[in-house]
Amino acid sequence: DVKVTQSSRYLVKRTGEKVFLECVQDMDHENMFWYRQDPGLGLRLIYFSYDVKMKEKGDIPEGYSVSREKKERFSLILESASTNQTSMYLCASSSPSDGSFPPYNSPLHFGNGTRLTVT
Amino acid sequence: GDSVTQMEGPVTLSEEAFLTINCTYTATGYPSLFWYVQYPGEGLQLLLKATKADDKGSNKGFEATYRKETTSFHLEKGSVQVSDSAVYFCALTERSGNTGKLIFGQGTTLQVKP
């Protein structure tokens, strides 16, 4: 089974702090994603990466950056945390080469989420 | 841009009741459609998918049919169980590229009572 592991389940940070959220997958997937989940808004894409050192902005990238130095690890960085970044953050991975056709139909495999509170 | 709209929840049903969760979409292209489920304390997992018009996705007793004429992908189950209590997300992906980038609806919470 694919395993996507997020380093923290709960995190409490202060306004202005630099925050790192880590995600690791163990299935050699090319694609990795960061979403945030808020009540009534569903999941919104922050950033995604389709290869090492590659990144693309999603729908709400402002206030965030990402790093992908190794294929299995995708980090989300909040440069200066603010209270409006209090949310559940979900990491996901997928592989266009998992046999699904077309390749963009490959299922996403999600981690269990990190609930971040910024005070 | 593309979007997905789901019925508002929570939906509360008794065990063995029939379930329908409505989902409609707006897309400029010809998307593939998905239902994901999130059980309490867990991440999302794929429940079913359909990649072209009139396709029916099914899994664990759940079904959804891709209706292009009504731009809908409603989720149904004939007899729900307490263990089906979860949040259900409808999603679409565009037919381009290979990144599997998904656009999600807002989610519908289902509560099943014994």
Side-chain angles (χ1 to χ4, degrees), chain B residues 64-82:
Chain B
T65 300
Y66 190 140
R67 300 287 188 200
K68 190 168 186 291
E69 64 277 11
T70 55
T71 62
S72 65
F73 192 53
H74 304 321
L75 182 68
E76 296 181 336
K77 187 175 186 183
S79 176
V80 293
Q81 305 299 313
V82 172

Side-chain angles (χ1 to χ4, degrees), chain A residues 9 31 33 37 104-105 108 111, chain B residues 32 36 38 41 43 51 97-99:
Chain A
R9 194 62 192 270
N31 303 326
F33 307 81
Q37 181 180 8
Y104 44 79
N105 287 333
L108 264 61
Chain B
S32 296
Y36 279 79
Q38 184 180 32
T51 59
N98 64 1
T99 58

Side-chain angles (χ1 to χ4, degrees), chain A residues 6-81:
Chain A
Q6 295 184 231
S7 54
S8 302
R9 194 62 192 270
Y10 299 96
L11 214 50
V12 180
K13 296 293 181 181
R14 294 191 181 276
T15 301
E17 278 193 80
K18 190 169 187 176
V19 181
F20 293 85
L21 302 183
E22 306 288 347
C23 175
V24 177
Q25 50 94 3
D26 65 358
M27 283 301 292
D28 203 35
H29 281 175
E30 291 85 352
N31 303 326
M32 296 190 75
F33 307 81
W34 277 105
Y35 286 88
R36 63 177 282 177
Q37 181 180 8
D38 299 288
L41 297 177
L43 276 73
R44 293 177 292 168
L45 182 64
I46 305 171
Y47 268 96
F48 65 100
S49 168
Y50 52 86
D51 202 352
V52 177
K53 296 191 185 296
M54 305 299 289
K55 60 185 179 183
E56 294 281 343
K57 292 180 179 179
D59 300 316
I60 52 164
E62 296 79 19
Y64 303 95
S65 62
V66 290
S67 172
R68 191 156 182 211
E69 296 296 319
K70 294 185 178 181
K71 192 175 185 180
E72 68 271 18
R73 185 180 296 271
F74 192 36
S75 302
L76 180 69
I77 304 157
L78 286 65
E79 297 291 342
S80 177

Side-chain angles (χ1 to χ4, degrees), chain A residues 9 31 33 35 37 40-43 45 48 50 59 90 94 96 100-108 110-112, chain B residues 32 34 36 38 41-46 49 51 87 89 93-107:
Chain A
R9 194 62 192 270
N31 303 326
F33 307 81
Y35 286 88
Q37 181 180 8
L41 297 177
L43 276 73
L45 182 64
F48 65 100
Y50 52 86
D59 300 316
L90 293 171
S94 73
S100 297
F101 184 82
Y104 44 79
N105 287 333
S106 302
L108 264 61
F110 283 85
N112 286 344
Chain B
S32 296
F34 304 81
Y36 279 79
Q38 184 180 32
E42 299 183 11
L44 280 72
Q45 56 186 275
L46 179 66
K49 69 180 183 185
T51 59
V87 182
F89 292 91
T93 187
E94 278 291 322
R95 285 191 169 232
S96 62
N98 64 1
T99 58
K101 180 180 140 181
L102 290 174
I103 297 170
F104 287 87
Q106 68 269 43

Side-chain angles (χ1 to χ4, degrees), chain B residues 21-34:
Chain B
I21 299 178
N22 290 338
C23 171
T24 56
Y25 67 89
T26 302
T28 53
Y30 191 2
S32 296
L33 302 172
F34 304 81

